[in-house]
Amino acid sequence: MSEEKVIVVASTNEGKIREFRQMLEPKGYTVKSLADYPDLGDIDETGTTFSENAVIKAAAVTEKYGIMAVSDDSGLEIDAFGRQPGVQSARWLGHETPYSEKNRIILEKMQGIENRTCRYVCAIAITRPDEEPVVFEDTVECTIAYEPSGENGFGYDPIIFYPPYHKTMADMDKDEKNAISHRGKAVRKLEDWLENHA
């Protein structure tokens, strides 16, 4: 396989890396992650939007190693919480707090609240040496479930209910989820772009 078919996913999140592999490896890409580049160090996500943080993470890999990188910055916006946790989704209530606890707290805070609308937002940045970053963004509109359900997915998925399927993100199999998810839709935009530019 030629070197230009390597893509580094600028993440240590096993769930995200797995989803990128499922979508990009069938297209002939070798998908690596930050685990393959342990000397990079921590990347400070100082952006105020999903797009800015995605670019910061991918650019850090490209600048250091001179290789194509892709980064996803995604999160959950809950309308009743003023679109929080938003860009803080991974850090909300602390990085060390397990998602089972974060989900429990959200359900507790949502008790008695009628407006349960929310959305997952995903921004994917791709960076290449000596080229401007390119960003693809998409969303999926959902509601907050009344109780956790499902063993698939990761993060907030057990409490994110997708009305057209009548199930949570964590109740979906990978094909169902990739078809409608914020990341699935953004990755398809990335795939279309790669076919024409990479």
Side-chain angles (χ1 to χ4, degrees):
M1 185 172 288
S2 58
E3 184 64 25
E4 64 269 14
K5 295 288 278 186
V6 172
I7 293 185
V8 180
V9 179
S11 178
T12 56
N13 182 313
E14 284 300 323
K16 284 186 185 181
I17 295 161
R18 184 172 61 249
E19 289 188 357
F20 271 111
R21 284 202 169 110
Q22 288 167 352
M23 288 184 266
L24 291 175
E25 284 182 348
K27 307 281 186 186
Y29 287 91
T30 298
V31 178
K32 296 190 174 184
S33 73
L34 293 184
D36 297 298
Y37 300 89
D39 59 325
L40 180 63
D42 291 336
I43 302 168
D44 287 330
E45 297 176 37
T46 55
T48 58
T49 66
F50 294 110
S51 294
E52 287 175 3
N53 280 333
V55 169
I56 287 168
K57 289 184 284 189
V61 174
T62 296
E63 286 166 12
K64 186 170 177 73
Y65 301 105
I67 194 170
M68 182 162 60
V70 61
S71 177
D72 148 303
D73 195 59
S74 54
L76 175 65
E77 295 180 343
I78 302 173
D79 291 329
F81 296 176
R83 297 202 165 189
Q84 294 297 314
V87 293
Q88 297 293 324
S89 289
R91 300 177 287 282
W92 189 63
L93 301 176
H95 254 307
E96 304 306 311
T97 304
Y99 276 97
S100 57
E101 181 68 5
K102 293 181 183 184
N103 291 341
R104 185 191 67 76
I105 290 169
I106 288 173
L107 294 181
E108 203 171 80
K109 287 176 175 284
M110 289 295 293
Q111 284 182 5
I113 295 178
E114 281 188 27
N115 179 12
R116 303 184 78 85
T117 56
C118 64
R119 71 204 48 79
Y120 270 140
V121 181
C122 176
I124 294 177
I126 187 160
T127 52
R128 296 164 297 160
D130 306 317
E131 300 279 355
E132 286 293 311
V134 181
V135 181
F136 309 92
E137 192 165 313
D138 221 311
T139 61
V140 58
E141 295 292 327
C142 299
T143 61
I144 300 294
Y146 288 90
E147 60 186 15
S149 179
E151 300 297 325
N152 302 325
F154 59 94
Y156 298 104
D157 286 353
I159 64 165
I160 305 304
F161 185 80
Y162 183 64
Y165 284 5
H166 305 289
K167 59 174 78 173
T168 69
M169 291 287 189
D171 279 320
M172 298 179 194
D173 65 34
K174 68 176 177 20
D175 291 333
E176 286 178 313
K177 184 180 178 186
N178 288 343
I180 58 91
S181 77
H182 53 313
R183 186 171 300 110
K185 291 191 282 188
V187 165
R188 281 189 289 282
K189 291 180 179 178
L190 167 66
E191 288 171 344
D192 290 343
W193 183 89
L194 284 171
E195 285 181 10
N196 294 306
H197 296 85

